[in-house]
Amino acid sequence: MRRWRNWSVLVLALALVAAACTGGGDDAGGEAAAEAPIAQDDAGRFERDAAGGEALEEAAAEPDAPAAEAPAELGAGGVTPVVAQTPADLGRQIIFTANLTVSVPDVARAGEEATRIVESLGGFLFGQDTTGSPEPRSILTFRISPDNFQDALTQLSGIGELRTQTVSADDVTERVVDLESRITTAEASVERLRGFLQNATKIEDIAQLEAQLLARETELETLRGQLRTIRDRVDLATITLTLTEAGVAPAIQLIQTAYPGAEDSGASCPGNDGLVVEEGSEVTLCFEIRNAGDAPLTGFELTDSVLEIDLDDLLVIFGDPAGTLQPGQNMIVAYETQVDRTLRTQTRVQAVPLDAEGNVIPAREVSNTQSITVFAEDPGGLPGFRDGLQASWNFLQTVWGLLVLLAGSLLPFIWVIPLAWWLWRRRGRRAQARAEAEPARAAEAGAAAVTVPAADAAVDGEGSADEG
């Protein structure tokens, strides 16, 4: 028994050694296979080049596609290239819209060219609004695939002189998901109500279920319509192109600013939109005149009813007020003044446009009116001699203004004075004549009184004689 036990232990030990050797050989072979270099053949398959190893996998690219190059090593300050992803790649629902204004020599021809450009990119004309002279204008609405959206903008802006351009992208992914969820819920509700309606037997239940079913179906169709509209706007971008004829849309813009002080002759223009200074401080008002239209401007005039100034009273900082201002150009003038109280200007600028030959366009004068407020604050403290003198002068100016106002109010009634004088003289003459006639009237009254008693006595005498 002891001998058989020893042989059993020996056989088991040999078996374990053999198993360990076999596993080690496999691991070594696996490591050798893993360490073998990898090569790519012309067919796009990756194979191990050690002893004709078996192919592991096919390349993802087509057989004729070139192999992907390994990225080059980046030096100091290098940047790893980034692959841009489009909204479609990200699974987002984006609505692209754009508004362009282009000035062209001929609106009709430019509209035809714009339509050809969009149609060549797979889009189409969705709407058109065109007006003729005296200001030709055409508003074209195009629908185009988002993939060609940017190309269309580039080509459309090149058919003339680009005036304005606004591009927007509205992400409506959450709204689409919400509508889809509400549509699914509404469809389930409609199907449930239809089942209840099929099993209903009472007229009251049928009427109530039909009313609810009609409301749910209406809501469902409304949601489906909203979803169709959004998906249509996502699938096709919208471009609104406004074509205007060059030289027929003149415009002028006035921008007013101010800054404290008047020592640099307007060199610090432009200033601030609003200003707060102490009473009696000097400020400089800056006026920027800009040609915001598409026609040259000349014959500039600038007036302010509050400051009582015109263009000749201003300092020229930039530009030539007596010259011509081309579209997009500007000039700056300034005015230095002292602010004794809060000042609010009322400035008006106007000019006349020129056509392509340099002639004045009749009846097309342009103007613009703007204002700025400069607040004057009381510096505090006791008033001085200058303040008292200024207050007295202001009072005299106020009194003089009231007198002038009163005189102006009474001037239309000046004819009343000679009429009143004439009536007064006439009344005096009547009173004098009455006073002179009063003694004669009194004498006549006395004589009449004497005559009447005598006559009465005579009558009495005759009566007595008759009685006798």
Side-chain angles (χ1 to χ4, degrees):
M1 294 297 293
R2 183 179 298 174
R3 182 182 300 175
W4 284 105
R5 187 181 300 113
N6 294 334
W7 280 105
S8 299
V9 173
L10 180 60
V11 172
L12 180 60
L14 292 175
L16 292 174
V17 172
C21 292
T22 303
D26 294 340
D27 294 339
E31 292 176 1
E35 294 176 356
I38 299 176
Q40 181 181 11
D41 61 4
D42 295 337
R45 296 176 179 274
F46 294 92
E47 299 179 351
R48 299 186 183 275
D49 59 355
E54 296 180 356
L56 298 179
E57 59 182 350
E58 288 189 351
E62 294 293 332
D64 296 334
E69 297 181 358
E73 295 183 358
L74 300 175
V79 180
T80 305
V82 179
V83 179
Q85 291 181 312
T86 63
D89 298 332
L90 299 175
R92 309 299 296 180
Q93 304 287 327
I94 308 293
I95 296 177
F96 292 97
T97 57
N99 292 276
L100 293 85
T101 301
V102 180
S103 178
V104 295
D106 192 332
V107 171
R109 292 183 180 179
E112 296 176 357
E113 182 180 356
T115 304
R116 286 195 300 268
I117 290 174
V118 174
E119 290 178 350
S120 66
L121 295 175
F124 59 93
L125 179 63
F126 189 73
Q128 181 176 2
D129 183 10
T130 304
T131 57
S133 59
E135 297 184 9
R137 177 185 296 268
S138 182
I139 302 176
L140 306 175
T141 304
F142 298 105
R143 304 297 301 276
I144 195 170
S145 172
D147 297 335
N148 299 324
F149 180 71
Q150 189 60 46
D151 293 340
L153 290 181
T154 303
Q155 297 187 37
L156 290 176
S157 61
I159 63 177
E161 185 177 354
L162 182 63
R163 295 298 184 185
T164 61
Q165 176 174 316
T166 304
V167 181
S168 62
D170 186 13
D171 189 347
V172 293
T173 306
E174 296 181 358
R175 187 176 179 186
V176 170
V177 172
D178 177 66
L179 286 175
E180 290 176 347
S181 177
R182 293 172 62 184
I183 288 174
T184 302
T185 303
E187 289 175 346
S189 177
V190 168
E191 292 298 328
R192 186 165 53 253
L193 287 174
R194 288 176 179 173
F196 292 158
L197 183 60
Q198 290 179 356
N199 299 327
T201 56
K202 295 183 180 180
I203 298 179
E204 295 81 1
D205 296 341
I206 293 175
Q208 186 177 2
L209 289 173
E210 285 182 345
Q212 294 183 6
L213 180 60
L214 178 60
R216 298 293 174 85
E217 288 178 342
T218 303
E219 180 183 2
L220 177 59
E221 291 302 322
T222 301
L223 295 175
R224 287 174 177 173
Q226 295 177 1
L227 183 60
R228 283 194 300 267
T229 302
I230 294 178
R231 285 179 174 172
D232 178 66
R233 297 182 62 189
V234 170
D235 295 339
L236 293 175
T238 303
I239 300 177
T240 302
L241 174 64
T242 302
L243 300 174
T244 60
E245 188 170 335
V248 298
I252 192 171
Q253 184 180 10
L254 176 63
I255 302 174
Q256 291 192 55
T257 56
Y259 65 89
E263 296 83 12
D264 57 356
S265 299
S268 299
C269 288
N272 302 318
D273 295 337
L275 191 63
V276 180
V277 297
E278 293 184 356
E279 293 180 355
S281 301
E282 291 184 339
V283 298
T284 300
L285 302 175
C286 307
F287 306 93
E288 180 181 356
I289 303 172
R290 180 177 302 172
N291 187 345
D294 57 2
L297 298 177
T298 188
F300 295 95
E301 295 183 9
L302 188 146
T303 57
D304 192 297
S305 58
V306 177
L307 299 175
E308 297 181 353
I309 59 173
D310 55 23
L311 197 57
D312 297 334
D313 301 323
L314 305 181
L315 302 172
V316 179
I317 309 302
F318 176 77
D320 183 13
T324 301
L325 199 63
Q326 298 296 327
Q329 294 182 350
N330 65 335
M331 63 179 174
I332 299 176
V333 293
Y335 179 70
E336 298 174 348
T337 184
Q338 181 176 338
V339 179
D340 297 323
R341 59 181 182 274
T342 298
L343 174 67
R344 181 177 178 83
T345 64
Q346 194 70 21
T347 310
R348 182 175 185 268
V349 62
Q350 61 184 18
V352 292
L354 303 176
D355 56 16
E357 288 75 20
N359 301 320
V360 175
I361 302 177
R364 295 299 299 275
E365 185 179 85
V366 293
S367 63
N368 187 239
T369 302
Q370 296 294 330
S371 63
I372 187 174
T373 302
V374 179
F375 296 94
E377 292 184 342
D378 187 358
L382 295 175
F385 175 78
R386 181 180 178 182
D387 297 330
L389 183 62
Q390 184 66 35
S392 301
W393 176 249
N394 293 336
F395 176 75
L396 291 177
Q397 286 183 330
T398 303
V399 172
W400 174 253
L402 293 175
L403 292 176
V404 172
L405 179 62
L406 181 62
S409 301
L410 296 178
L411 185 61
F413 304 97
I414 195 171
W415 56 271
V416 176
I417 297 176
L419 178 61
W421 179 80
W422 180 77
L423 293 175
W424 179 77
R425 290 292 303 274
R426 182 179 180 183
R427 182 177 179 182
R429 290 176 180 176
R430 287 182 177 179
Q432 184 179 1
R434 191 181 299 109
E436 293 176 353
E438 189 65 27
R441 190 180 296 109
E444 293 177 357
V450 173
T451 305
V452 170
D456 293 338
V459 171
D460 292 338
E462 291 178 358
S464 300
D466 291 339
E467 291 177 0

